[in-house]
Amino acid sequence: MANTPIMTVADLHKTYGKPGTKQYEALKGIDFEVNAGEFVGIMGASGSGKTTLLNMLATLDQPTSGEVTINQQPITHLKGNQLADFRAKEIGFIFQDFNLLETMTAFENIALPLTLQNVAAKKIKPAVEMVASQLGISQFLNNYPNELSGGQKQRVAAARALINEPAMLFGDEPTGALDSKSARELLDLFTTINREQAVSILLVTHDPFSASYCQRILFIKDGKIGQELHRGDRSRTDFYQQILDTLGTFEQ
Amino acid sequence: MLTKLAMTGFKNRWRDYLVLFSGLIMSSAIFYMFEALATNKQFLSSNSGISLAGQIFQFGSVLLTIITLVYISYANSFLLSMRKRDYGLFMLVGARKSKIGQLIWLETLLVGITATIVGIALGTILTVGVSKLLVSSLGLTLHHFAAWYTPAASTTLLLYVGLFLLAGFFNLIALTKTPALKLLHSNDQPNRPRLKPFRQLVEVIIGLISIAIGYWAMSDLKNLQMAGIGIALVTIVIGTYLLFNAIFVWLVVLLKQFNFAHRGLNGFTLSQLSFRIRNYTKILSIVAMLFALALGAITVGMGFHRQVPLMANSSNAYDMGIVNATTAQKKQIAKLNPTNQANYHFKVGKKVVYYRASEFNQHPFTTMDQKSKNQIDSVAKQNNAKQLAKSMTSYQLSQLQASANQNMSQVFLSDAAYAKITSKQSTLTIFATKDVAKHMNALKHLAASQQRRDKGLTESMLGGRYGNYIIVNGMYSGLEFMGFFLGVAFLAMLASCLMFKILSGAAADRNRYKMLNKIGTRQSQLRAAIRKEIAVLFILPGIVGVIHVLFGLKMFTFIMVGSPYTGIWLPFLIFAALYVIYYLITVSIYRRIVLE
């Protein structure tokens, strides 16, 4: 498992604006791989292109050129139903603003990816209950999102992202709207999921504390990957310090 | 500067404004259309034999005003929600509250007045179109009807401007009293659908009782008169509202138990509905009422038209009477293949007409007698001279006479006594065809030739089935026209109400559908979800409306010959077709807003 790439990104470019008008190149050739079971972070300042990159990887946007492969499947040219099915089956997504449907209970929100694929009702309930107990939200399943705290909402969102056992879990500043305690709990949760279930995680953040939970961090600046950090066997606090140092010099 | 900013906001959101404008224009156009009939007293009095018509229209006016009130409050909250962010932003950058207040007033009034004026213009065009269409397709005759009717226009303008002044005032308070930050983030959170068994049970019971009272009032209109309509309107509106309010949340909870709720987006749709229904109960009950009124109006209108031959046939057993028929007229009569024909000789005395009893004994005169006291329905009865002399309905013979003889009493004499009368003898030829409506043209020709010979014989004095047909048709044409016109107006109003309400919620749904798209929902599933959700919102009031109509038609049993339920499928079908068209339009606009 150690060295099989679950995702490869090759020479990814993204240019905004039509030819002939004023163009802006957000991504200027990105190459990297994520191995199965890896926990990778992407860091960068605002406007560095990290959200653009994430949108390409998660099939929410199309690159101008280059290729992304997830689980041996090229994804940049997927369209229509194929695209929808790919998102539903291979990708889990956690957003900064939770993106829960506030008209549905936590249970219904988590079950949604399964009902979309018309999984039998009998199988849905145990699946939801299992993932909920892993994430410690079993007691909130009948609550609506606006009755939950930010941390609880984000765990519901995580449960929804994980219920399909996706090949990749993407997080877009998932701790951005959380207080430090909830953020810590969520990140611990990610670590546990990553270790115990070998889910590959790609986290986009500008927060060094969140990033310190990753095994490897890619720094992105002006549309290119500038630097790469590996945690190796170091403790999280050491790694956090290194990230801070790197950021200090990287952004100069 | 602020005005300029406000204008840019306007430009940026032209699509939302388009929804708002078209909604308001439709509403004022329909209100004008209705008022063009309701305020035209001359039209009402000359076209309806029924004295209730004026009052019915007044009720309709009040009802439509209430609906307009609700409609404008929806439109206004739509406008407000659209502008909240902008105004909050203006406040943050330091605009004075008084300046913002001015802007709000200006915008609300501007939007309102423009929409109303355009609406009245459109209403005039619609009135022309609808009336022409109805007149030509139904073969009606109308008197004193005008598409442009100034009192109607001024009523519409006054009401709408008044309501918008109110709305502007309301907006002023709502916006200037709210802190700027709250305006910026005023995404209203939906409330959790609560199950309160006791309260909802009480609501259901009160609702059912109110509706039962309403249905009873409609069926007992004979005794209650106008009060019955009033009672029914109030109780049925209240009952419908309570039922929608109480039952719907339960229904969704119940439906979620079934397996189909766990397939695709069904669960999502149900949740959407259960969250929405609180905001929708008002509009759904109004729509159900309007649906019932519109469908009822069309059904009754068509019902009245079916009445015409029935009424004519029950008024007399003969089509026409002709005194001293010429050979040409006799030939014409023979051509009609009369099913019943008789020739009676008579002599005219002072204030009396003398007939030969023997002729009546040989060829009995058929009268149409009332079956019972309360029914217009009648039975044919053969009368010999003796019976006819005693009969209450012997006037049916004199109605067939020449104009000069219609007010004279009839005396049946023995042949000997008849022979002694010295005045000149004439012959009355009376005949009946199988179907008056079928022989209309030939009968018209015959009547005209007789009217040329008997100058006093006006149309209303023709007396037989043919004459009655002409009179009743004139009277009921007006009623049928009103029925259809009202039906179309109410339908347009209810559908645009519903459409507007649904579309004004579309903006909030945009994010939900985006989310669904991000977690991997197929486009086809999203489309199906939209179709289903809107279908439920259309079907629910439809069902309730149909039930209301079925009971409401009972009101007309005592002013209609035969059952008001015969041939009911036709108006229902027409109505369903129009309703489906509105549904499809709503779905396609909604889809465009939500899925882009």
Side-chain angles (χ1 to χ4, degrees):
Chain A
M1 139 184 158
N3 287 323
T4 43
I6 189 88
M7 179 169 81
T8 44
V9 180
D11 196 25
L12 205 63
H13 287 263
K14 178 67 180 179
T15 308
Y16 288 108
K18 281 175 189 150
T21 62
K22 199 180 173 191
Q23 290 188 324
Y24 171 71
E25 199 174 10
L27 296 181
K28 301 168 181 167
I30 303 265
D31 292 274
F32 71 97
E33 283 184 354
V34 175
N35 290 331
E38 218 180 351
F39 189 169
V40 178
I42 292 181
M43 286 197 80
S46 301
S48 59
K50 59 184 192 304
T51 302
T52 311
L53 173 63
L54 186 73
N55 284 343
M56 310 280 144
L57 302 183
T59 71
L60 299 179
D61 199 356
Q62 299 242 327
T64 313
S65 69
E67 187 56 79
V68 178
T69 313
I70 294 178
N71 218 2
Q72 279 99 49
Q73 200 179 344
I75 59 164
T76 42
H77 304 295
L78 290 178
K79 279 205 179 75
N81 288 344
Q82 283 178 316
L83 184 64
D85 290 351
F86 182 80
R87 277 181 202 158
K89 286 176 188 153
E90 305 285 354
I91 295 177
F93 211 127
I94 303 172
F95 304 87
Q96 179 175 358
D97 51 358
F98 320 124
N99 262 358
L100 293 174
L101 292 161
E102 72 271 32
T103 53
M104 299 168 90
T105 60
F107 181 96
E108 290 162 338
N109 264 292
I110 298 170
L112 198 57
L114 296 182
T115 57
L116 281 178
Q117 291 165 48
N118 292 331
V119 173
K122 272 182 284 180
K123 289 183 187 163
I124 291 178
K125 205 167 180 233
V128 172
E129 277 164 2
M130 200 177 81
V131 75
S133 77
Q134 280 166 359
L135 296 182
I137 45 171
S138 297
Q139 67 270 43
F140 307 123
L141 282 180
N142 283 321
N143 288 84
Y144 285 87
N146 64 347
E147 297 162 349
L148 300 175
S149 72
Q152 290 161 347
K153 275 190 220 176
Q154 201 57 299
R155 276 186 278 164
V156 172
R160 183 179 67 187
L162 289 169
I163 195 155
N164 261 345
E165 298 168 356
M168 281 293 303
L169 179 66
F170 292 101
D172 182 7
E173 303 272 11
T175 57
L178 303 183
D179 59 87
S180 63
K181 185 168 167 277
S182 306
R184 198 184 287 261
E185 282 171 4
L186 187 75
L187 290 163
D188 284 335
L189 210 61
F190 279 178
T191 316
T192 319
I193 295 165
N194 173 250
R195 268 198 216 126
E196 291 175 4
Q197 296 172 47
V199 177
S200 318
I201 301 177
L202 186 98
L203 199 69
V204 165
T205 184
H206 68 274
D207 168 34
F209 178 74
S210 300
S212 68
Y213 280 79
C214 304
Q215 291 157 359
R216 179 160 63 109
I217 296 172
L218 305 168
F219 289 88
I220 188 166
K221 188 181 178 185
D222 299 331
K224 279 180 177 165
I225 292 177
Q227 209 171 342
E228 201 172 325
L229 284 187
H230 288 267
R231 177 166 159 192
D233 297 327
R234 274 172 300 167
S235 73
R236 203 179 51 70
T237 23
D238 287 351
F239 192 42
Y240 178 52
Q241 202 52 52
Q242 196 195 355
I243 298 168
L244 286 179
D245 294 343
T246 314
L247 276 179
T249 50
F250 184 67
E251 298 290 350
Q252 294 298 306
Chain B
M1 186 58 201
L2 268 184
T3 326
K4 216 172 173 183
L5 272 177
M7 281 310 289
T8 24
F10 196 85
K11 269 183 221 153
N12 288 338
R13 313 198 58 169
W14 67 271
R15 204 190 279 184
D16 294 328
Y17 274 95
L18 205 67
V19 173
L20 178 70
F21 260 114
S22 50
L24 286 174
I25 288 171
M26 268 320 273
S27 151
S28 51
I30 294 157
F31 192 82
Y32 170 80
M33 218 167 119
F34 183 84
E35 288 296 307
L37 270 194
T39 54
N40 194 335
K41 293 213 169 63
Q42 237 181 336
F43 169 75
L44 288 181
S45 58
S46 67
N47 282 286
S48 63
I50 292 181
S51 57
L52 288 183
Q55 282 167 300
I56 289 173
F57 269 82
Q58 270 165 16
F59 264 116
S61 260
V62 172
L63 204 73
L64 209 59
T65 310
I66 295 170
I67 292 158
T68 310
L69 206 82
V70 176
Y71 192 81
I72 287 187
S73 80
Y74 279 138
N76 192 47
S77 63
F78 182 66
L79 178 76
L80 203 62
S81 69
M82 237 165 39
R83 300 300 274 162
K84 262 185 188 165
R85 243 191 80 87
D86 293 347
Y87 284 124
L89 207 67
F90 296 163
M91 275 189 208
L92 272 194
V93 299
R96 278 201 207 136
K97 286 208 167 184
S98 61
K99 182 74 189 168
I100 289 184
Q102 268 177 21
L103 276 179
I104 298 166
W105 264 91
L106 201 71
E107 181 170 349
T108 316
L109 272 184
L110 206 69
V111 166
I113 292 174
T114 326
T116 311
I117 290 173
V118 178
I120 291 175
L122 182 74
T124 315
I125 298 169
L126 271 180
T127 311
V128 174
V130 171
S131 57
K132 275 210 173 125
L133 191 76
L134 289 181
V135 167
S136 66
S137 63
L138 302 175
L140 306 175
T141 43
L142 290 178
H143 308 286
H144 304 291
F145 182 73
W148 174 256
Y149 194 65
T150 319
S154 47
T155 313
T156 312
L157 197 64
L158 268 178
L159 178 77
Y160 274 77
V161 170
L163 287 178
F164 275 106
L165 276 172
L166 261 175
F169 193 64
F170 171 78
N171 287 353
L172 192 71
I173 292 171
L175 283 183
T176 49
K177 292 273 186 233
T178 333
L181 271 180
K182 214 172 173 186
L183 287 180
L184 278 175
H185 309 284
S186 65
N187 282 337
D188 44 335
Q189 284 284 319
N191 306 312
R192 181 193 180 100
R194 299 234 176 254
L195 296 178
K196 296 177 198 140
F198 179 71
R199 197 179 138 182
Q200 280 159 343
L201 189 71
V202 171
E203 278 182 359
V204 168
I205 291 170
I206 297 178
L208 284 176
I209 292 174
S210 318
I211 288 184
I213 292 174
Y215 285 170
W216 163 78
M218 287 194 294
S219 67
D220 203 27
L221 208 59
K222 206 164 38 186
N223 299 321
L224 292 170
Q225 297 292 328
M226 279 316 284
I229 297 182
I231 293 172
L233 269 180
V234 174
T235 52
I236 292 177
V237 168
I238 293 173
T240 312
Y241 174 74
L242 289 176
L243 278 186
F244 268 126
N245 217 9
I247 290 181
F248 201 80
V249 182
W250 283 97
L251 198 68
V252 172
V253 171
L254 190 76
L255 284 177
K256 275 194 178 173
Q257 306 302 315
F258 290 103
N259 265 346
F260 91 100
H262 301 288
R263 295 189 69 79
L265 285 176
N266 288 347
F268 168 75
T269 307
L270 284 175
S271 301
Q272 286 272 93
L273 286 170
S274 72
F275 259 98
R276 236 175 217 179
I277 210 67
R278 288 269 153 192
N279 301 326
Y280 270 75
T281 37
K282 258 181 265 157
I283 189 104
L284 287 186
S285 6
I286 285 177
V287 166
M289 276 311 284
L290 277 175
F291 192 97
L293 288 172
L295 187 51
I298 292 183
T299 313
V300 169
M302 287 182 92
F304 271 126
H305 199 68
R306 241 187 357 262
Q307 300 279 296
V308 178
L310 291 174
M311 291 279 275
N313 287 351
S314 66
S315 66
N316 204 307
Y318 301 90
D319 287 6
M320 208 184 283
I322 289 176
V323 174
N324 296 331
T326 62
T327 26
Q329 284 176 327
K330 279 179 190 157
K331 262 188 202 163
Q332 280 173 4
I333 293 171
K335 252 196 213 162
L336 292 170
N337 292 324
T339 51
N340 187 3
Q341 190 178 357
N343 293 307
Y344 300 120
H345 293 99
F346 66 92
K347 289 175 182 170
V348 180
K350 256 189 195 172
K351 293 182 182 172
V352 263
V353 180
Y354 300 103
Y355 290 101
R356 284 172 67 179
S358 61
E359 286 183 351
F360 281 85
N361 295 338
Q362 211 171 0
H363 294 285
F365 179 79
T366 315
T367 54
M368 300 304 289
D369 290 3
Q370 264 184 308
K371 250 186 200 164
S372 64
K373 262 185 196 168
N374 293 323
Q375 276 168 315
I376 303 173
D377 228 356
S378 47
V379 274
K381 187 173 172 258
Q382 309 262 315
N383 299 280
N384 59 28
K386 215 175 180 180
Q387 286 164 322
L388 195 59
K390 277 192 234 156
S391 169
M392 298 282 292
T393 43
S394 61
Y395 67 88
Q396 289 175 8
L397 174 61
S398 40
Q399 280 180 344
L400 296 166
Q401 266 284 4
S403 60
N405 307 337
Q406 288 195 0
N407 288 325
M408 297 188 184
S409 47
Q410 301 154 1
V411 177
F412 302 95
L413 298 174
S414 64
D415 288 358
Y418 180 80
K420 281 185 192 154
I421 307 290
T422 48
S423 59
K424 199 183 109 205
Q425 173 173 278
S426 305
T427 318
L428 174 65
T429 306
I430 56 177
F431 65 95
T433 59
K434 233 179 178 171
D435 187 351
V436 183
K438 217 167 118 190
H439 300 294
M440 213 59 210
N441 279 333
L443 288 171
K444 196 175 178 179
H445 201 69
L446 204 55
S449 71
Q450 190 59 18
Q451 278 172 311
R452 273 195 298 277
R453 292 172 61 209
D454 181 353
K455 295 291 178 209
L457 197 65
T458 59
E459 209 166 56
S460 60
M461 288 176 87
L462 282 170
R465 282 179 187 174
Y466 169 75
N468 278 308
Y469 189 97
I470 300 282
I471 292 168
V472 178
N473 190 40
M475 193 167 95
Y476 282 4
S477 276
L479 283 178
E480 191 186 11
F481 176 76
M482 284 178 215
F484 263 87
F485 197 88
L486 282 186
V488 173
F490 277 138
L491 171 70
M493 193 71 167
L494 82 89
S496 33
C497 259
L498 196 56
M499 211 164 119
F500 191 70
K501 178 69 187 162
I502 293 174
L503 291 181
S504 63
D509 271 357
R510 205 180 294 170
N511 281 329
R512 296 188 191 129
Y513 280 92
K514 256 189 197 148
M515 259 180 243
L516 285 175
N517 186 36
K518 278 184 189 168
I519 64 167
T521 315
R522 292 180 170 202
Q523 284 291 314
S524 54
Q525 285 175 310
L526 293 177
R527 282 159 189 271
I530 291 175
R531 272 201 306 273
K532 280 181 203 162
E533 188 180 333
I534 297 178
V536 171
L537 294 176
F538 266 80
I539 289 171
L540 274 181
I543 293 172
V544 177
V546 167
I547 297 173
H548 286 345
V549 172
L550 291 178
F551 277 92
L553 284 178
K554 267 210 152 304
M555 287 197 294
F556 297 91
T557 36
F558 85 106
I559 44 174
M560 274 190 177
V561 184
S563 164
Y565 295 96
T566 31
I568 201 172
W569 59 273
L570 184 61
F572 274 54
L573 197 72
I574 295 174
F575 204 81
L578 290 172
Y579 201 56
V580 165
I581 291 172
Y582 263 105
Y583 164 70
L584 292 175
I585 294 174
T586 311
V587 168
S588 90
I589 298 179
Y590 195 84
R591 199 176 273 166
R592 220 167 289 161
I593 293 178
V594 170
L595 299 180
E596 284 168 286

